[in-house]
């Protein structure tokens, strides 16, 4: 579509406003994280730290064991990604590439669980894990990923698998390949980009999860970054410099992963939206 | 294609087991729990029939109706705001301009920020005494606000903070918009119609399935708002932001009334089913699917 000059100018002005509104909070975060308290409280607000207080990061990250929180978050996130990619890709294979009686029925039942609010299963799941002695461990946060990895991911991968020509499977069968070999050496490698999409969304969900760790983790030494940051806020209420430094540290890995995998993120959302 | 029930079940068995263990089982268990007074503090659990539900709706629970009210208010403000704003931004991003990829990244970036960190940033921005937002308002001679600390402003403030993360919805709209064939617009150009008639007669009808999808997802997500209440407000001031799932968590995990919290959860489930059903029912009249002759 071609635009008139006036509408182009209006478009740029509006986009500039949008940019300021969406990026502004990030700048405010970074600026506050590098100031000392007296400059932070100066009115009207200043934007450039004078001098740059890089030691805020050091102080914020040492008053609470953020190194431990970081390691915990990493362990949980990596375990969840592995489980999700393995189990959702296997299940999607069963729903997209194997013909069996009742397949669509079973798939529809699993899909219906998307409507179920997590609150409904929350309490019995908690009681179950506690009864098994796994309260205050990572297991409740990790193990479910190995059992299906979320119906939404299965759905996404299934849609992708359905676009791969059937002839590939047939040719492999003629050569004497088994279902598992077809999955491993044809379907899985061919769906690389869809699997990256699943892994990236899974990273964000696990890294950002707040309610799960809040409910299942009690010991300070097992806390994740999200929980740690919340704790920090409770303890250092008015220390906005340290609070912002700690927040920036939690935000940074997400931004880095997003910028690295940007192409896949945007593709992935588009895929989910169109199929809805 | 050869059939194999064995292999089908083999590959899907982890997912089926997961569904039985982590969804269906807990679902049935929570329904059963909702008819009991189960609490980790009590020695004996008694089956009390529908007493939990009576307690909710009869008004014996001082927090049930306030939490419903807060949640509905939040949903009523947030859903239209998210849909309209993300649609408008998507329209801008869909223009044929330089730097589209950059603007798209800018809009999407905030949506990946962890909820806790986003809450910290907004608490600081909206701080009544020292926050940036009030100080900007003051510069223009406008009065500041108590934002998250005011009874009347707390829910709109939480909505405001959540609008920072609408990037995902924008991108879905953008995908819908880019699927509209150029010729449709050219037809309006020929007829001499302007920008507004393009929007009304082509863009909105053709992206209505995407609007529908986004509306459903935003409604389901907004009803379940939790993090914001927990981190930003703890339900206050004066229970004005006592969002339902936060209240449910407080009942089940802080007060350890797990039977009653299960009943709350089932009411939530029914509310969500009801809303989804309503949106689906009305969708016939406004969602346009190409090739189905409906409009």
């Amino acid at each position: 579509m071609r635009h008139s000059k006036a509408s182009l100018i209006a478009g740029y002005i509006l986009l500039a406003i949008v940019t300021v509104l969406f990026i502004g909070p990030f700048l405010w975060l970074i600026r506050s994280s590098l100031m000392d308290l007296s400059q932070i409280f100066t009115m009207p607000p200043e934007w450039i730290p004078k001098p740059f207080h890089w030691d805020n990061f050091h102080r914020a990250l040492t008053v609470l064991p953020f190194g431990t929180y970081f390691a915990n978050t990493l362990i949980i996130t990596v375990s969840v990604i592995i489980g999700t990619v393995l189990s959702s890709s296997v299940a999607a294979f069963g729903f997209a590439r194997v013909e069996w009686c009742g397949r669509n029925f079973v798939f529809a039942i699993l899909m219906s669980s998307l409507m179920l609010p997590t609150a409904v299963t929350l309490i019995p799941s908690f009681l179950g894990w506690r009864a098994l002695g796994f309260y205050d461990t990572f297991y409740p946060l990790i193990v479910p990923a190995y059992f299906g990895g979320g119906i939404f991911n299965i759905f996404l991968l299934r849609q992708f698998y359905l676009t791969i020509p059937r002839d590939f499977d047939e040719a492999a069968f003629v050569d004497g390949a088994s279902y598992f070999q077809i999955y491993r050496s044809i379907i899985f490698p061919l769906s690389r980009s869809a699997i990256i999409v699943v892994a990236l969304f899974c990273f964000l969900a696990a890294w950002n999860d707040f309610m799960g760790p809040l409910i299942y983790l009690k010991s300070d030494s097992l806390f994740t970054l999200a929980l740690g940051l919340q704790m920090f806020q409770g303890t250092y209420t008015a220390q906005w410099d340290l609070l912002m430094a700690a927040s920036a540290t939690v935000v940074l890995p997400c931004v880095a992963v997003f910028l690295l995998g940007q192409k896949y993120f945007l593709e992935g959302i588009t895929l989910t939206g169109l199929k809805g | 294609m050869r059939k194999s029930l064995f292999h089908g079940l083999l590959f899907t068995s982890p997912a089926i087991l997961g569904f039985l263990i982590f969804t269906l089982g807990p679902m049935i268990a929570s329904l059963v729990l909702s008819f009991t007074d189960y609490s980790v503090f009590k020695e004996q659990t008694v089956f009390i029939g529908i007493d939990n539900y009576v307690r909710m709706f009869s008004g014996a629970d001082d927090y049930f109706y306030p939490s419903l009210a807060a949640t509905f208010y939040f949903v009523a403000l947030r859903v239209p705001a998210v849909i309209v704003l993300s649609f408008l931004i998507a329209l801008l991003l869909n223009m044929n301009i330089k730097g589209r990829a950059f603007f798209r990244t800018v809009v999407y970036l905030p949506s990946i920020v962890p909820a806790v960190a986003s809450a910290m940033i907004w608490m600081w921005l909206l701080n009544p005494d020292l926050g940036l937002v009030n100080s900007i308002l003051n510069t223009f001679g406008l009065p500041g606000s108590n934002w998250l600390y005011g009874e009347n402003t707390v829910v709109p403030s939480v909505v405001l903070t959540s609008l920072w993360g609408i990037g995902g919805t924008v991108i879905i709209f953008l995908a819908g918009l880019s699927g509209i064939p150029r010729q449709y617009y050219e037809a309006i150009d020929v007829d001499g119609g302007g920008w507004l008639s393009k929007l009304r007669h082509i863009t909105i009808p053709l992206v209505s399935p995407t609007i529908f999808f986004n509306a459903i997802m935003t409604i389901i997500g907004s009803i379940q708002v939790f993090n914001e209440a927990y981190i930003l407000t703890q339900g206050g001031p004066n229970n004005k932001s006592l969002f339902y799932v936060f209240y449910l968590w407080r009942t089940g995990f802080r007060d350890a009334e797990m039977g009653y919290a299960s009943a709350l959860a089932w009411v939530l489930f029914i509310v969500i089913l009801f809303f989804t059903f309503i949106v689906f029912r009305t969708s016939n009249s406004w969602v346009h699917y190409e090739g189905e002759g409906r409009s």
Side-chain angles (χ1 to χ4, degrees):
Chain A
M1 222 192 326
R2 269 178 288 120
H3 306 284
S4 68
K5 208 163 191 176
S7 65
L8 266 184
I9 292 171
Y12 276 117
I13 292 175
L14 288 173
L15 279 174
I17 296 173
V18 168
T19 304
V20 169
L21 291 176
F22 278 73
I23 292 301
F26 284 112
L27 298 178
W28 187 249
L29 164 75
I30 294 164
R31 155 274 182 207
S32 308
S33 70
L34 291 171
M35 285 181 174
D36 61 11
L37 271 181
S38 65
Q39 197 187 3
I40 273 192
F41 292 156
T42 307
M43 279 292 162
E46 292 170 4
W47 282 89
I48 310 293
K50 225 182 341 176
F52 283 77
H53 278 270
W54 295 103
D55 58 306
N56 282 349
F57 282 86
H58 182 73
R59 280 166 62 213
L61 301 185
T62 43
V63 285
L64 282 182
F66 270 96
T68 311
Y69 300 161
F70 187 87
N72 292 341
T73 313
L74 204 62
I75 292 169
I76 294 171
T77 304
V78 170
S79 313
V80 166
I81 291 176
I82 294 172
T84 301
V85 165
L86 284 180
S87 74
S88 65
S89 69
V90 166
F93 182 84
F95 285 119
R97 308 301 286 198
V98 186
E99 202 88 35
W100 48 287
C101 176
R103 182 178 75 166
N104 293 343
F105 175 72
V106 171
F107 186 66
I109 300 255
L110 294 196
M111 281 298 285
S112 71
S113 67
L114 276 178
M115 297 273 294
L116 190 76
T118 42
V120 171
T121 54
L122 195 63
I123 288 165
S125 304
F126 171 80
L127 294 173
W129 285 113
R130 208 187 48 154
L132 291 172
F134 289 127
Y135 174 58
D136 204 25
T137 68
F138 293 155
Y139 292 107
L141 304 171
I142 293 172
V143 172
Y146 288 78
F147 288 85
I151 182 64
F152 195 71
N153 295 322
I154 299 176
F155 170 72
L156 215 131
L157 289 178
R158 173 181 168 273
Q159 298 302 100
F160 194 86
Y161 289 177
L162 288 174
T163 64
I164 300 172
R166 291 265 176 209
D167 308 352
F168 290 8
D169 306 32
E170 287 305 324
F173 274 130
V174 171
D175 289 345
S178 69
Y179 275 108
F180 184 73
Q181 284 165 331
I182 292 174
Y183 161 74
R184 229 199 58 181
S185 41
I186 301 178
I187 303 296
F188 191 85
L190 280 178
S191 343
R192 208 181 68 109
S193 64
I195 284 172
I196 293 177
V197 168
V198 167
L200 285 174
F201 280 119
C202 185
F203 166 83
L204 279 189
W207 190 271
N208 298 356
D209 186 20
F210 181 69
M211 200 194 225
L214 175 72
I215 282 168
Y216 288 111
L217 303 178
K218 190 183 63 176
S219 313
D220 193 59
S221 61
L222 295 180
F223 277 9
T224 60
L225 280 176
L227 269 189
L229 186 58
Q230 210 275 328
M231 273 262 297
F232 191 91
Q233 186 249 334
T235 323
Y236 298 87
T237 323
Q239 305 256 22
W240 290 108
D241 51 346
L242 300 188
L243 209 51
M244 288 300 112
S247 302
T249 316
V250 176
V251 172
L252 209 65
C254 285
V255 172
V257 166
F258 168 70
L259 292 178
L260 286 175
Q262 196 184 158
K263 181 179 135 229
Y264 295 101
F265 270 109
L266 299 174
E267 254 173 34
I269 307 172
T270 309
L271 202 67
T272 58
L274 286 180
K275 306 295 183 198
Chain B
M1 195 73 204
R2 48 205 84 185
K3 288 196 167 213
S4 171
L5 182 63
F6 170 74
H7 285 98
L9 287 176
L10 183 71
F11 280 101
T12 56
S13 57
I16 295 173
L17 274 177
F19 174 77
L20 297 175
I21 299 170
F22 298 113
T23 304
L24 192 63
M27 207 175 141
I28 295 168
S30 88
L31 186 62
V32 173
L33 275 177
S34 80
F35 297 111
T36 69
D37 64 350
Y38 181 82
S39 164
V40 277
F41 295 147
K42 280 192 193 145
E43 301 231 326
Q44 263 192 330
T45 298
V46 182
F47 188 75
I48 54 169
I50 59 165
D51 279 10
N52 282 332
Y53 295 93
V54 172
R55 176 174 156 199
M56 248 179 262
F57 289 102
S58 68
D61 173 349
D62 291 338
Y63 299 109
F64 176 68
Y65 285 115
S67 81
L68 267 189
T71 310
F72 282 137
Y73 183 32
F74 178 76
V75 173
L77 279 183
R78 181 168 189 264
V79 174
V82 167
I83 298 297
V84 170
L85 265 179
S86 48
F87 183 66
L88 291 178
I89 295 176
L91 281 178
L92 283 174
L93 292 178
N94 195 43
M95 286 175 76
N96 195 4
I97 50 170
K98 287 199 185 89
R100 277 177 61 176
F102 167 77
F103 290 120
R104 207 176 48 187
T105 305
V106 162
V107 169
Y108 188 66
L109 199 58
S111 68
I112 58 153
V113 171
V116 188
S118 158
M120 299 301 153
I121 298 171
W122 282 98
M123 276 171 103
W124 179 215
L125 281 167
L126 295 178
N127 187 296
D129 304 317
L130 304 155
L132 177 66
V133 177
N134 270 357
S135 101
I136 290 177
L137 288 175
N138 291 336
T139 324
F140 290 102
L142 296 164
S145 165
N146 275 331
W147 301 111
L148 296 161
Y149 300 96
E151 280 191 28
N152 296 320
T153 50
V154 60
V155 173
S157 302
V158 177
V159 171
L160 185 75
T161 69
S162 81
L163 291 180
W164 196 41
I166 60 175
T169 317
V170 174
I171 303 296
I172 295 175
F173 269 128
L174 200 53
L177 287 173
S178 59
I180 300 176
R182 201 159 289 218
Q183 296 89 312
Y184 290 15
Y185 292 112
E186 284 161 6
I188 292 243
D189 280 334
V190 171
D191 292 348
W195 178 82
L196 204 63
S197 63
K198 277 180 193 164
L199 188 67
R200 244 185 64 196
H201 299 297
I202 295 177
T203 314
I204 292 182
L206 285 180
V207 291
S208 58
T210 314
I211 300 179
F212 174 64
F213 172 82
N214 278 337
I216 297 256
M217 298 312 278
T218 312
I219 290 172
I220 294 180
S222 305
I223 292 179
Q224 299 185 64
V225 54
F226 171 79
N227 290 343
E228 286 82 350
Y230 186 94
I231 304 160
L232 285 172
T233 66
Q234 288 283 318
N238 194 18
N239 298 320
K240 290 296 183 211
S241 67
L242 188 69
F243 298 129
Y244 196 90
V245 174
F246 174 72
Y247 174 51
L248 190 157
W249 168 85
R250 203 175 76 174
T251 309
F253 289 92
R254 195 197 68 183
D255 305 340
E257 289 192 71
M258 294 195 158
Y260 187 56
S262 300
L264 286 170
W266 271 85
V267 170
L268 175 74
F269 186 26
I270 288 161
V271 167
I272 288 180
L273 283 182
F274 176 75
F275 271 97
T276 316
F277 175 75
I278 296 277
V279 180
F280 263 99
R281 275 300 291 273
T282 65
S283 71
N284 276 344
S285 63
W286 63 272
V287 179
H288 171 95
Y289 290 101
E290 263 186 285
E292 279 184 32
R294 274 189 277 169
S295 64

